[in-house]
Amino acid sequence: MSYNEKIDATLADTLTTQDGETLAYYHLLGSKPGIMFCGGFMSDMTGTRSMALENFARKRGQAFTRFDYRGHGQSSSSFREGTISKWKMDAITVFDSLTSGPMVLVGSSMGGWIALLLALARPERVVGIVGISAAPDFTEDLMWAKFDENVRHTLITERVYLKNSDSFDQPYIITMDLIEDGRNHLIMREPIPIKAPVRLLHGMRDTSVPYQLSIILADRLKSEDVQLHLVKDGGHRLSTNRDLSLLMRATSDLLEI
């Protein structure tokens, strides 16, 4: 089954945050539980996984929401000014303003971290989480801990570092504000008090986020209903038709619990 039917991804509405930023979003009315997609670092809401999920939700008659964090896609602000705190609050703003009732969160890469933070903030409404190459604590464990002394010196003195990316044509913009703020949201150091069912999907050839992180995450979560699916030849994006079918099965599983 194909989930790549064409949808006009340019159609977006906007809402305004408490601090005056404009967030672009698309919201599809439908049955509950609804689905909300949280994108990755430097990604936007028109990517393969989010649009495939919208097709999936539309065919099921399911409520669905996708959005751009500030500094991403069609939303306001610059990417360089973004932090985990700001992107978390953007997700909460969209969640509170546009959705109602039980929700399944789907988070890709950084969006997996954001989805976990959102579930911790709104545990009464989040009934399931799907993580795609989830990257909780990536600012500390996949950035700062991996940087050599020269990169750390650049960040400390210049407050910004441009890092070549395997996933994007342009370099990652990494700021010291992002690193420092990320330390306020680390969740992998102790058990994570999320009890909702969780499905984790990760490619074993992911060169951006090691699949071992999902194994550790599965252990940290307090939920007893956690399933991890490793794709041996899968990369970071997990966006082939086979990967998308896996994503839809995981999402459908949580919608029907």
Side-chain angles (χ1 to χ4, degrees):
M1 181 177 184
S2 174
Y3 296 98
N4 289 315
E5 295 178 13
K6 294 296 183 182
I7 296 176
D8 188 349
T10 63
L11 296 176
D13 293 311
T14 59
L15 61 84
T16 303
T17 65
Q18 288 186 340
D19 59 350
E21 297 295 346
T22 301
L23 303 180
Y25 71 88
Y26 179 81
H27 180 64
L28 177 67
L29 296 175
S31 61
K32 306 296 173 59
I35 306 165
M36 178 167 152
F37 182 80
C38 299
F41 191 71
M42 289 183 64
S43 297
D44 63 39
M45 65 172 171
T46 65
T48 302
R49 276 80 51 84
S50 59
M51 301 309 293
L53 275 168
E54 181 178 327
N55 263 323
F56 168 77
R58 191 179 297 276
K59 290 175 181 178
R60 287 178 58 106
Q62 213 87 30
F64 174 77
T65 306
R66 55 183 166 88
F67 71 102
D68 287 330
Y69 310 106
R70 68 186 66 199
H72 291 69
Q74 302 173 59
S75 293
S76 66
S77 189
S78 69
F79 178 83
R80 182 169 174 165
E81 295 175 358
T83 61
I84 299 301
S85 288
K86 292 177 180 178
W87 295 329
K88 170 190 170 183
M89 287 310 303
D90 291 344
I92 290 175
T93 297
V94 170
F95 188 84
D96 289 348
S97 300
L98 301 177
T99 74
S100 62
M103 294 291 296
V104 170
L105 305 179
V106 180
S108 173
S109 194
M110 180 187 80
W113 188 5
I114 298 296
L116 292 166
L117 293 173
L118 178 51
L120 289 169
R122 298 291 185 270
E124 70 285 353
R125 290 191 51 211
V126 175
V127 298
I129 304 169
V130 180
I132 311 165
S133 310
D137 298 8
F138 78 92
T139 52
E140 193 68 15
D141 297 337
L142 302 182
M143 288 183 173
W144 187 256
K146 304 292 185 183
F147 291 155
D148 61 29
E149 289 304 315
N150 289 331
V151 173
R152 291 187 181 188
H153 179 74
T154 298
L155 276 165
I156 291 169
T157 56
E158 300 181 18
R159 306 292 295 180
V160 65
Y161 167 66
L162 302 182
K163 179 181 183 296
N164 290 332
S165 167
D166 294 331
S167 303
F168 297 95
D169 294 332
Q170 56 185 323
Y172 284 136
I173 301 172
I174 301 170
T175 67
M176 197 61 197
D177 286 346
L178 175 69
I179 300 295
E180 291 171 343
D181 177 79
R183 292 170 181 156
N184 298 321
H185 301 285
L186 302 179
I187 60 174
M188 294 286 282
R189 273 65 182 162
E190 56 190 10
I192 304 170
I194 290 175
K195 297 183 178 180
V198 178
R199 303 291 180 263
L200 300 173
L201 317 177
H202 216 127
M204 295 179 71
R205 295 181 184 173
D206 189 336
T207 59
S208 298
V209 181
Y211 73 86
Q212 290 87 349
L213 184 58
S214 280
I215 298 175
I216 298 170
L217 174 58
D219 183 59
R220 291 281 190 274
L221 289 161
K222 284 192 173 181
S223 173
E224 291 297 319
D225 187 358
V226 178
Q227 297 179 18
L228 170 62
H229 193 116
L230 297 177
V231 181
K232 188 169 184 178
D233 64 348
H236 185 62
R237 293 183 180 274
L238 288 182
S239 57
T240 67
N241 283 334
R242 178 204 60 190
D243 299 330
L244 295 177
S245 293
L246 175 61
L247 170 59
M248 303 317 154
R249 289 198 300 272
T251 304
S252 179
D253 181 29
L254 295 182
L255 291 171
E256 293 167 6
I257 289 178

